[in-house]
Amino acid sequence: MPPDSPQFLDLELLVGAARQPGLYPVTVITAPAGQASGTLALDPNAADCKSVLDAIADRNTTDELFREFGRHLFNALLADPIGNLYRTSLGLAQGAGKRLRLRLRIEPPEISALPWEYLYDPEAELPLAISPNHCLSRYVPINEPVRTLEITPPLRVLVVISDPSNLGDYGMPALDAGQEIDRIQKALQQREDAGQVKTDVLPHAIAADLREKLRTFRPHVIHFIGHGGVQDDQGMLVMQDDER
């Protein structure tokens, strides 16, 4: 492992189906500080929750709105005793010179669709997604062994943009893909200059064009810029047709 690669201790949480409306069992699958279980009290259909999601969809947001919603999600997910275990695990990770990786396995689709990436630690006053002491990830278990991925540089990254012209017909806001592409390119520029990474951009996520890129560019990583959601308990991505 390269000396500058971050190392992690895992805290994995499993959120199961509601035992009664708005109450979801939470189990700590693994953590540096041991095991615990608790309850996530959250009603995704509550007026205050829906108003925040509507504001995000309409891009009518403020930093304070994100912080408050992140605190709400954090306090619901990491209520004691899981909150105490989280704090102890974070201290153990920092004491070992590592980051705490919070892995979320959220099974109920009605709350899995919530933007848990906004989790905000009120004690540290920091969003977990950008904290130097954390790594936040969603985790979907599969019944297959994890295979080691070995590549010969450069690492090929394909950025796929899906911004159909009629998103408004489906109640979805237009995207600002340009800003995200700029951030990706700036973040990877040093690696690209060193020949370690190569990026390509597919400006329209049309199925035939995507298949061609997969065949010719053969990416190791696909970064998707677009909309997604859950429909009939199935995850979905919004793509474009030939007329975009």
Side-chain angles (χ1 to χ4, degrees), residues 154-196:
L155 179 75
R156 296 185 295 276
V157 179
L158 176 63
V159 180
V160 178
I161 304 168
S162 182
D163 191 14
S165 59
N166 62 336
L167 282 174
D169 295 345
Y170 299 90
M172 299 178 182
L175 302 176
D176 187 357
Q179 279 194 354
E180 189 161 349
I181 291 173
D182 287 344
R183 289 194 294 268
I184 293 171
Q185 291 176 336
K186 288 178 181 177
L188 297 178
Q189 190 62 57
Q190 186 176 356
R191 300 290 189 184
E192 284 210 72
D193 292 343
Q196 298 172 329

Side-chain angles (χ1 to χ4, degrees), residues 24-45:
Y24 301 87
V26 183
T27 304
V28 176
I29 302 299
T30 183
Q35 295 181 317
S37 60
T39 300
L40 187 159
L42 181 66
D43 181 3
N45 296 314

Side-chain angles (χ1 to χ4, degrees), residues 12 15 27 32 45 47 50 63 68 72 77 92 109 114 116-117 134 145 169 191 198 206 213 220 230 238-241:
E12 184 174 331
V15 181
T27 304
N45 296 314
K50 282 195 168 185
D63 289 345
E68 284 300 322
H72 181 62
L77 179 66
L92 291 172
L114 294 176
W116 294 97
E117 289 73 19
H134 296 80
D169 295 345
R191 300 290 189 184
K198 184 177 181 180
I206 299 170
K213 280 291 184 183
H220 302 106
V230 177
V238 177
M239 303 290 283
Q240 295 179 263
D241 62 17

